[in-house]
């Protein structure tokens, strides 16, 4: 991985929102771009504007009639009852909004481009990616398209065969497992909250399918995730010897996020990325969930720092603090009196704790067949 990491972004995410009431009303990718630039971490030569994927490119996995319906819904800014029922468009989770095709098609275009950019190795960061719930013919869980699936297919199209996909979002990647759960050349590992929507991904360690699901209990702390990293994530990926690694780094597992009951600090995400860098001939890092504007912006910016070997200052410089102080979290109690460290630091204080029996039991269940071989 000698090449300098590339950052795929777009201005379409600035001001684009699923609606004033939706969890994705908060700014995320634009915050990462602005914060990275304020720190001097995002020079023009590593920034790659994301293309917008056309329906023909998306049809490599998504059904053509669904794509037609998605484009038509954006143009009309409405859907019929029949379209809502058949395709999941215009629902509370996947509402009609002004960029409902263009925004996800831009994220998908970035992931398709990433596969091309990584053909000969390197590192690509695409924080707008990670929409892991999208199905071939249905919007699902805030995801109109499934860009991680498209990224894997793009990597394959550019000669990369063995791919490890790791997902540390609080929610199970049901769409990605739908695509690759039975593909022995795609190792899938997901660490997600137990009994959290979509309520798939029960404990599984299937060496035939190369699928490992590790649902974790509420309150998952840094010590427990460190054990999972050491015992499950790194050994499985290392033994698989992939040609490329794709990591979905949803930040909704961080303690301040309103969409889960997990309790990680953003140190856990950075530690996983750092641990996988030496064993990833090609590395694509995606965003994903994350619904507190401060925690997601700080987490994803910190990951970009890790990919580049940058050390965050103990106290952020004034331009970076200005980016964070400008954020708002309307409609959520976490936005009323945000703590000062959300403005002045990039890294959380560690959230260590005891390693509970539920964690060691789940690890043993997932690795049982592997350990018996």
């Amino acid at each position: 991985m000698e090449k300098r990491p590339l950052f795929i972004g777009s201005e379409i995410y600035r001001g684009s929102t699923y609606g004033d009431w939706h969890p994705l009303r908060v700014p995320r990718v634009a915050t990462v771009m602005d914060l990275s630039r304020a720190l001097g971490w995002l020079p023009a030569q590593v920034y790659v504007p994301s293309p917008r994927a056309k329906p023909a490119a998306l049809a490599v996995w998504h059904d053509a009639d669904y794509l037609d319906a998605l484009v038509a819904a954006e143009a009309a800014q409405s859907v019929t009852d029949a379209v809502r029922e058949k395709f999941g468009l215009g629902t509370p989770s996947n509402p009609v909004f002004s960029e409902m095709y263009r925004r996800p098609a831009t994220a998908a275009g970035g992931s398709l481009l990433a596969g091309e950019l990584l053909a000969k190795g390197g590192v690509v960061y695409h924080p707008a990616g990670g929409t892991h719930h999208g199905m071939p013919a249905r919007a699902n869980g805030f995801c109109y398209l499934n860009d991680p699936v498209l990224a894997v297919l793009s990597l394959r199209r550019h000669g990369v065969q063995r791919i490890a996909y790791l997902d540390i979002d609080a929610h199970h990647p049901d769409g990605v497992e739908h695509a690759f759960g039975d593909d022995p050349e795609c190792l899938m590992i997901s660490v997600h909250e137990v009994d959290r929507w979509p309520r798939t991904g029960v404990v599984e360690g299937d060496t035939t399918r190369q699928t490992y699901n590790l649902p974790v209990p509420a309150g998952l702390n840094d010590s427990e995730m460190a054990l999972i990293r050491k015992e499950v994530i790194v050994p499985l990926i290392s033994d698989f010897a992939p040609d490329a690694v794709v990591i979905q780094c949803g930040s909704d597992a961080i303690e301040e996020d309103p969409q889960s009951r997990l309790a990680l600090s953003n140190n856990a995400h950075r530690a996983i990325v750092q641990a996988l860098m030496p064993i990833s001939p090609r590395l694509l890092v995606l965003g994903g969930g994350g619904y507190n504007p401060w925690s997601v912006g700080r987490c994803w910016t910190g990951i970009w720092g890790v990919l580049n070997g940058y050390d965050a200052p103990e106290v952020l410089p004034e331009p970076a603090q200005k980016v964070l102080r400008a954020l708002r979290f309307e409609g959520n109690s976490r936005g009323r009196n945000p703590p000062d460290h959300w403005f002045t630091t990039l890294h959380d204080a560690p959230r260590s704790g005891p390693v509970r029996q539920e964690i060691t039991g789940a690890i043993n269940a997932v690795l049982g067949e592997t350990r018996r071989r």
Side-chain angles (χ1 to χ4, degrees), residues 114-237:
E116 179 181 348
L117 294 172
L118 289 168
K120 295 183 180 180
V123 179
V124 172
Y125 189 43
H126 180 30
T131 54
H132 57 179
H133 298 305
M135 292 295 178
R138 190 171 182 84
N140 188 42
F142 309 167
C143 304
Y144 297 83
L145 301 170
N146 197 310
D147 75 272
V149 169
L150 296 168
V152 172
L153 293 176
S154 180
L155 284 163
R156 291 262 174 88
R157 190 163 62 251
H158 290 91
V160 182
Q161 188 59 32
R162 288 175 68 80
I163 299 169
Y165 176 81
L166 168 66
D167 197 302
I168 56 173
D169 194 287
H171 303 80
H172 177 251
D174 51 341
V176 185
E177 185 165 319
H178 177 77
F180 299 114
D182 294 321
D183 184 342
E185 292 290 280
C186 185
L187 169 68
M188 289 196 58
I189 305 171
S190 175
V191 182
H192 51 271
E193 185 177 346
V194 68
D195 200 30
R196 172 69 55 183
W197 189 94
R199 295 182 173 82
T200 52
V202 297
V203 172
E204 179 180 15
D206 190 327
T207 58
T208 302
R209 297 198 323 136
Q210 295 290 356
T211 298
Y212 297 83
N213 283 312
L214 182 58
V216 295
L220 178 75
N221 61 50
D222 287 358
S223 303
E224 292 170 328
M225 186 58 111
L227 183 66
I228 292 168
R229 183 185 75 237
K230 179 181 176 182
E231 296 288 327
V232 179
I233 295 172
V234 172
L236 286 177
I237 292 178

Side-chain angles (χ1 to χ4, degrees), residues 160-373:
V160 182
Q161 188 59 32
R162 288 175 68 80
I163 299 169
Y165 176 81
L166 168 66
D167 197 302
I168 56 173
D169 194 287
H171 303 80
H172 177 251
D174 51 341
V176 185
E177 185 165 319
H178 177 77
F180 299 114
D182 294 321
D183 184 342
E185 292 290 280
C186 185
L187 169 68
M188 289 196 58
I189 305 171
S190 175
V191 182
H192 51 271
E193 185 177 346
V194 68
D195 200 30
R196 172 69 55 183
W197 189 94
R199 295 182 173 82
T200 52
V202 297
V203 172
E204 179 180 15
D206 190 327
T207 58
T208 302
R209 297 198 323 136
Q210 295 290 356
T211 298
Y212 297 83
N213 283 312
L214 182 58
V216 295
L220 178 75
N221 61 50
D222 287 358
S223 303
E224 292 170 328
M225 186 58 111
L227 183 66
I228 292 168
R229 183 185 75 237
K230 179 181 176 182
E231 296 288 327
V232 179
I233 295 172
V234 172
L236 286 177
I237 292 178
S238 181
D239 289 348
F240 185 69
D243 302 317
V245 175
V246 179
I247 312 176
Q248 199 267 23
C249 282
S251 69
D252 46 7
I254 292 175
E255 186 173 49
E256 296 91 353
D257 197 278
Q259 296 293 318
S260 86
R261 299 168 297 169
L262 304 181
L264 297 178
S265 75
N266 59 27
N267 301 292
H269 290 65
R270 295 196 318 280
I272 288 171
V273 171
Q274 192 160 36
L276 294 182
M277 288 175 66
I279 59 173
S280 302
R282 300 164 182 85
L283 180 60
L284 172 58
V285 181
L286 306 172
Y291 308 97
N292 177 319
W294 291 284
S295 61
V296 66
R298 292 166 65 245
C299 177
W300 289 356
T301 303
I303 288 170
W304 176 239
V306 166
L307 293 173
N308 287 277
Y310 297 144
D311 292 324
E314 271 190 46
V315 179
L316 292 174
E318 189 56 38
Q321 291 194 34
K322 186 176 179 181
V323 172
L324 294 169
R325 291 185 189 279
L327 297 176
R328 297 292 179 268
F329 198 9
E330 304 295 343
N332 191 285
S333 60
R334 295 167 180 82
R336 291 180 195 144
N337 294 293
D340 194 58
H341 74 270
W342 286 3
F343 306 141
T344 61
T345 66
L346 203 59
H347 299 165
D348 295 330
R351 288 166 187 154
S352 305
V355 176
R356 291 166 291 174
Q357 187 174 352
E358 298 101 308
I359 298 294
T360 54
I363 290 173
N364 290 332
V366 165
L367 295 180
E369 186 174 339
T370 304
R371 285 173 168 166
R372 285 194 293 271
R373 286 192 302 172

